[in-house]
Amino acid sequence: MAPQEFLPADFDPPRSLVTEQFRLEPLGPQHNEADLAAWSSSVEHIRATPGYPDGSWPPVEGMTPERNRADLERHASDFEARRGFTSTVLNPADEVVGCVYLYPAAEIPEAARLPEHDVSVQSWVRADHAHLDEVLALALVDWIAVAWPWSHPYRYGR
């Protein structure tokens, strides 16, 4: 894989991760209402989560459902175009409880980026599911090591 490539051309990205406590599926506009409710109920909690160091997301003022849908459509488009991979985190009751973002190393803040970093890994969970934060973050380490072609993820202080 050339350094400028995010994924090898012949790599088929996994579309899910299933554990006893949660499952991941690609985020898209079908999650709009539940996604908006999840993050807007937990702005302070998410901003305190490792991986959101600039304090600009989620927006304190919130978003309209239309703006959130546009954001989800962008993430879905990135997934299909292999530019980035955003997944919603669903609990066993199929409630949206968080989100995972896998994007190229160029997304990593320049001051923290090292030449060997090949993927930016961010995740959050709703405040009322905070017990899943570290569980999710650790599951992502294993998932990336086993199911993805990257070997040097940047995990934002995790």
Side-chain angles (χ1 to χ4, degrees):
M1 183 167 65
Q4 71 275 12
E5 291 178 342
F6 187 41
L7 289 177
D10 62 349
F11 181 76
D12 187 22
R15 299 184 69 82
S16 68
L17 168 65
V18 178
T19 74
E20 290 181 14
Q21 295 174 293
F22 62 85
R23 70 181 169 84
L24 305 182
E25 67 179 43
L27 179 68
Q30 71 274 20
H31 301 109
N32 191 39
E33 185 178 327
D35 176 74
L36 182 58
W39 69 256
S40 63
S41 71
S42 302
V43 171
E44 289 182 28
H45 174 75
I46 295 168
R47 283 179 168 227
T49 299
Y52 299 91
D54 69 0
S56 66
W57 197 89
V60 175
E61 68 280 5
M63 285 188 195
T64 65
E66 296 77 21
R67 183 173 163 212
N68 195 68
R69 177 179 292 279
D71 196 43
L72 301 187
E73 288 170 348
R74 177 182 56 84
H75 284 302
S77 176
D78 285 350
F79 201 109
E80 293 309 313
R82 302 164 53 96
R83 290 186 299 261
F85 302 92
T86 303
S87 297
T88 192
V89 181
L90 302 161
N91 68 10
D94 282 338
E95 298 169 313
V96 171
V97 298
C99 212
V100 169
Y101 309 87
L102 305 176
Y103 272 85
E107 299 284 320
I108 300 167
E110 192 171 336
R113 191 178 326 137
L114 298 175
E116 64 267 19
H117 287 136
D118 47 12
V119 63
S120 164
V121 181
Q122 295 176 290
S123 62
W124 60 264
V125 295
R126 290 186 336 211
D128 63 352
H129 283 70
H131 64 282
L132 289 178
D133 183 60
E134 191 65 21
V135 173
L136 172 62
L138 291 174
L140 292 175
V141 171
D142 294 339
W143 189 47
I144 289 168
V146 171
W148 292 88
W150 307 305
S151 55
H152 296 92
Y154 182 70
R155 298 179 57 232
Y156 295 86
R158 292 189 180 263

